[in-house]
Amino acid sequence: MCVFKSKVVGLNFHKVENPVESGDYVILAAEDNEHDPDAIAVYNSDKELIGYIANSEKTLSPSNKKNGALSASELKGKLDFNDKKFYAEVDRAFKTCLFIMINDGKWSYIGNKEASDIGFVKASELADTLESSNDIDELRAEVESLKSIVADLHEIVLDLKLIAISRGK
């Protein structure tokens, strides 16, 4: 999994009841926007629009870029926003902008593409779309296999910790 940095701007244009702080999670969603075809809207946990990912030289300075912040256009080149919304953690929060960390593995399917409805499709709703009970059985078997792999990895981690402790590290 990759973690990308970016900057959220325009906070002063969007009045919200619950402003975000460092450590909070926000939701990123691509948006059809007449001003910027690569616009990525950013919402707080209450689904209030708080701003947009910076996407111009005016909003994303060379210093920001040097520190690893990607523009909306660059993020769209690295993340698949088709029918998906991504979660990001607020690293630093300021009055006019946020610096966020986006994990490419933290996303959900979009239930409805309308900008006013940023709901997510629940796994239980996806189960209704499966073709047959065979599909469900295959998915259950895959989940059990993954549980086994996770348990094995957990044992390996514990063994490595014991080795490190025994070596005095």
Side-chain angles (χ1 to χ4, degrees):
M1 289 190 202
C2 296
V3 175
F4 303 105
K5 296 179 183 180
S6 199
K7 179 182 178 184
V8 180
V9 295
L11 276 58
N12 50 335
F13 295 107
H14 305 281
K15 303 299 178 209
V16 296
E17 289 187 32
N18 297 309
V20 297
E21 300 174 354
S22 296
D24 288 350
Y25 279 88
V26 293
I27 302 163
L28 281 60
E31 179 179 280
D32 290 330
N33 186 311
E34 65 184 57
H35 303 290
D36 182 359
D38 287 332
I40 299 173
V42 181
Y43 299 87
N44 65 12
S45 61
D46 293 325
K47 299 177 183 161
E48 298 174 299
L49 177 65
I50 59 172
Y52 289 88
I53 299 295
N55 205 31
S56 74
E57 291 179 9
K58 287 173 49 176
T59 57
L60 192 63
S61 71
S63 171
N64 296 146
K65 287 184 159 270
K66 183 178 178 185
N67 289 326
L70 299 176
S71 68
S73 298
E74 291 169 318
L75 277 176
K76 280 193 162 181
K78 295 183 180 293
L79 299 172
D80 179 10
F81 279 90
N82 291 322
D83 297 327
K84 294 179 187 174
K85 294 184 187 212
F86 287 84
Y87 299 100
E89 184 176 358
V90 177
D91 184 39
R92 292 174 290 152
F94 300 98
K95 193 173 187 174
T96 58
C97 70
L98 306 172
F99 290 92
I100 60 173
M101 308 289 281
I102 306 125
N103 182 325
D104 69 345
K106 292 185 178 182
W107 57 270
S108 291
Y109 284 107
I110 298 173
N112 184 336
K113 286 195 173 212
E114 294 298 318
S116 61
D117 177 16
I118 62 167
F120 300 104
V121 175
K122 297 178 183 174
S124 59
E125 294 169 2
L126 288 175
D128 295 339
T129 65
L130 296 174
E131 299 281 327
S132 68
S133 62
N134 267 354
D135 292 337
I136 294 171
D137 292 339
E138 287 176 20
L139 288 174
R140 285 188 179 134
E142 188 174 343
V143 167
E144 290 306 314
S145 172
L146 290 171
K147 284 181 182 178
S148 174
I149 292 169
V150 168
D152 291 345
L153 288 172
H154 182 68
E155 285 183 36
I156 292 169
V157 168
L158 291 176
D159 289 343
L160 291 171
K161 285 181 180 179
L162 287 173
I163 292 169
I165 289 170
S166 69
R167 291 185 178 172
K169 292 184 178 182

